[in-house]
C-alpha cells in the first residue's frame, strides 16, 4: 500500500493506493507559501492518510514541480515555489514517518499515471501535457520515462511558440508555449471575450448556457494548443497524446480547434498526425496514479 501526494503552488493533495490502482478518497489541504506551512500541510496530510489506509503503508511518493535533485530528494530553486529552495523534503518525511520517499516531477508522474490507469492506459509511447498554472510535460518511450541527461525529463512548455503575447515566462524568456497555454493565458482569452473570471472552472455555467464568447475563447485556446502539438509531432512523432491538469477538463470545447490546426499545419505530412488526443478521465488523480506506478516499478527510467 502506498501514500501518494501531489504538491502544488497553493494546495497539497493525496490518497492511498494499492498495487492494482484502487484508491481512497482524495484529500486536499491548503499549503501556506512558506517552508513551515509546507511542512505542516505535508505532515497533516500524511497523518490523515495513514489513519485512513486499510493496510500497512510501504512507501510515500511525492509528485511536485521542480527543479529538484530527484536522487537526493532536495529542491533546488523551484520557479513557482521559491520558498522551497534547498528543502530536503525526502529527509524531512523519512525522519518524521520512518518511510522511504520517492520524489518525482509532477508532469512526469502525470504521464506515468495516464499510461497506467488514465486516458492512455496501456500505451508504450506517449506525450502527456499538464495544462494548469504552468505547462508540464512527460514523455514515455518504449514503456520507459524519458528523462534526459539531467534526470528531469523535457521542459516542453519552454519551447518557443512566438512573442505575440509579450508575457515573460517564469524562466525569464518571452514566447514560451507555457505563456500561451497556461491558466493565466486562458483567463486572458476569456477576458478578451468579456468574461472576467478568476479561475477557468468558473466558465462552466456560461458554457452550459451556450455563451458565444466563452466558446470562441476556448476555440482560440484549442488553436494555440494545435500549433504547439504540431511542433511536438515533428520532434517526437509519437501518436498518443494525453492532456492532464485542470484545463484538460474543458477539452470537449477546445479539441476540435486543436485537430483543425494540426491537420492544416501538417496537411502535406499527414503521417505525422497523432492517432489520439485524450483528456484524463480524472485529472486530480493523474500524478497520484503515476507515483503509485513508479513505486510498483512500472515504466522505469530510460
Amino acid at each position: 500500500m502506498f501514500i501518494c501526494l501531489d504538491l502544488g503552488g497553493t494546495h497539497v493533495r493525496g490518497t492511498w493506493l494499492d498495487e492494482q490502482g484502487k484508491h481512497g478518497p482524495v484529500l486536499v489541504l491548503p499549503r501556506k507559501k512558506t517552508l513551515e506551512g509546507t511542512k505542516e500541510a505535508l505532515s497533516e496530510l500524511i497523518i490523515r492518510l495513514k489513519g485512513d489506509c486499510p493496510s500497512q503503508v510501504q512507501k510515500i511518493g511525492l509528485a511536485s514541480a521542480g527543479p529538484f535533485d530527484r536522487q537526493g530528494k532536495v529542491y533546488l530553486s523551484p520557479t513557482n515555489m521559491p520558498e522551497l529552495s534547498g528543502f530536503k523534503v525526502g529527509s524531512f518525511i523519512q525522519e518524521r514517518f520512518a518511510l522511504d520517499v520517492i520524489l518525482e516531477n509532477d508532469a512526469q508522474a502525470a504521464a506515468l499515471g495516464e499510461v497506467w490507469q488514465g486516458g492512455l492506459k496501456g500505451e508504450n509511447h506517449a506525450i502527456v501535457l499538464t495544462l494548469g498554472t504552468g505547462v508540464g510535460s512527460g514523455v514515455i518511450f518504449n514503456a520507459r520515462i524519458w528523462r534526459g541527461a539531467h534526470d528531469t525529463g523535457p521542459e516542453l512548455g519552454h519551447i518557443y511558440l512566438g512573442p505575440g503575447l509579450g508575457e515573460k515566462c517564469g524562466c525569464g524568456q518571452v514566447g514560451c508555449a507555457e505563456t500561451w497555454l497556461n491558466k493565466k493565458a486562458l483567463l486572458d482569452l476569456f477576458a478578451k471575450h468579456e468574461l472576467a473570471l478568476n479561475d477557468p472552472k468558473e466558465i462552466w455555467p456560461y458554457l452550459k448556457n451556450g455563451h458565444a464568447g466563452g466558446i470562441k475563447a476556448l476555440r482560440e485556446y484549442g488553436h494555440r494548443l494545435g500549433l504547439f502539438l504540431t511542433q511536438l509531432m515533428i520532434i517526437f512523432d509519437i501518436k498518443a497524446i494525453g492532456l492532464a491538469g485542470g484545463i484538460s477538463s474543458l477539452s470537449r470545447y477546445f479539441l476540435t480547434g486543436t485537430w483543425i490546426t494540426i491537420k492544416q499545419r501538417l496537411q502535406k505530412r499527414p503521417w505525422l498526425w497523432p492517432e489520439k488526443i485524450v483528456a484524463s478521465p480524472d485529472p486530480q488523480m493523474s500524478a497520484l496514479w503515476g507515483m503509485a506506478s513508479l513505486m510498483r516499478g512500472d515504466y522505469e527510467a530510460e
Side-chain angles (χ1 to χ4, degrees):
M1 195 70 69
F2 310 120
I3 286 178
C4 299
L5 310 173
D6 184 359
L7 192 152
T10 58
H11 293 81
V12 57
R13 66 165 54 88
T15 189
W16 55 260
L17 288 100
D18 66 16
E19 293 208 359
Q20 287 70 50
K22 180 182 177 181
H23 64 86
V26 177
L27 304 182
V28 182
L29 296 181
R31 179 185 77 85
K32 294 179 183 177
K33 300 194 84 171
T34 65
L35 179 56
E36 287 307 311
T38 301
K39 290 179 178 180
E40 290 172 8
L42 285 171
S43 297
E44 181 180 349
L45 188 55
I46 293 170
I47 289 169
R48 290 174 60 176
L49 291 173
K50 281 189 71 179
D52 292 339
C53 193
S55 61
Q56 185 174 0
V57 177
Q58 298 169 297
K59 294 180 182 179
I60 294 177
L62 175 62
S64 174
F68 46 70
D69 177 348
R70 194 174 62 87
Q71 298 297 332
K73 303 170 189 175
V74 56
Y75 285 94
L76 299 177
S77 54
T79 303
N80 297 316
M81 299 186 294
E83 68 277 6
L84 301 186
S85 295
F87 176 33
K88 297 179 180 179
V89 65
S91 298
F92 169 74
I93 294 175
Q94 286 171 325
E95 290 170 5
R96 176 135 196 199
F97 296 98
L99 286 166
D100 189 25
V101 181
I102 292 179
L103 184 62
E104 183 59 80
N105 175 273
D106 52 0
Q108 297 276 58
L112 291 171
E114 289 302 308
V115 298
W116 182 44
Q117 294 288 336
L120 299 178
K121 189 172 182 177
E123 293 286 350
N124 289 323
H125 310 277
I127 297 172
V128 176
L129 300 177
T130 304
L131 306 173
T133 303
V135 173
S137 55
V139 177
I140 305 295
F141 278 140
N142 296 319
R144 296 178 182 272
I145 311 170
W146 183 65
R147 297 192 187 280
H150 293 92
D151 199 34
T152 58
E155 293 284 351
L156 302 180
H158 298 288
I159 286 177
Y160 183 75
L161 202 59
L165 295 179
E167 293 282 346
K168 183 173 282 191
C169 181
C171 73
Q173 300 301 314
V174 172
C176 292
E178 179 165 304
T179 64
W180 288 85
L181 294 167
N182 63 9
K183 173 180 171 180
K184 181 182 183 304
L186 182 53
L187 291 175
D188 288 345
L189 280 175
F190 288 143
K192 173 183 171 183
H193 292 280
E194 301 181 351
L195 282 171
L197 306 177
N198 295 311
D199 192 280
K201 63 187 177 185
E202 295 174 7
I203 190 62
W204 284 108
Y206 297 94
L207 295 176
K208 289 176 181 177
N209 291 324
H211 191 284
I215 292 170
K216 287 180 181 177
L218 285 164
R219 191 176 300 146
E220 186 171 340
Y221 182 88
H223 168 67
R224 293 179 180 182
L225 181 61
L227 291 174
F228 183 42
L229 289 180
T230 297
Q231 296 193 50
L232 301 188
M233 294 305 95
I234 292 169
I235 295 168
F236 293 103
D237 192 21
I238 285 179
K239 299 301 183 183
I241 308 299
L243 303 178
I247 294 175
S248 69
S249 64
L250 294 164
S251 63
R252 75 185 77 168
Y253 294 97
F254 63 70
L255 275 184
T256 297
T258 300
W259 277 109
I260 289 172
T261 301
I262 289 173
K263 291 179 179 181
Q264 286 176 340
R265 297 284 296 179
L266 297 175
Q267 58 183 312
K268 293 187 177 181
R269 289 172 287 175
W271 57 87
L272 289 176
W273 295 355
E275 293 176 357
K276 61 177 75 171
I277 305 174
V278 181
S280 173
D282 191 349
Q284 73 170 349
M285 281 299 301
S286 296
L288 303 177
W289 280 327
M291 294 313 302
S293 175
L294 197 64
M295 289 185 282
R296 276 167 40 106
D298 299 338
Y299 299 95
E300 294 294 344
E302 184 68 80

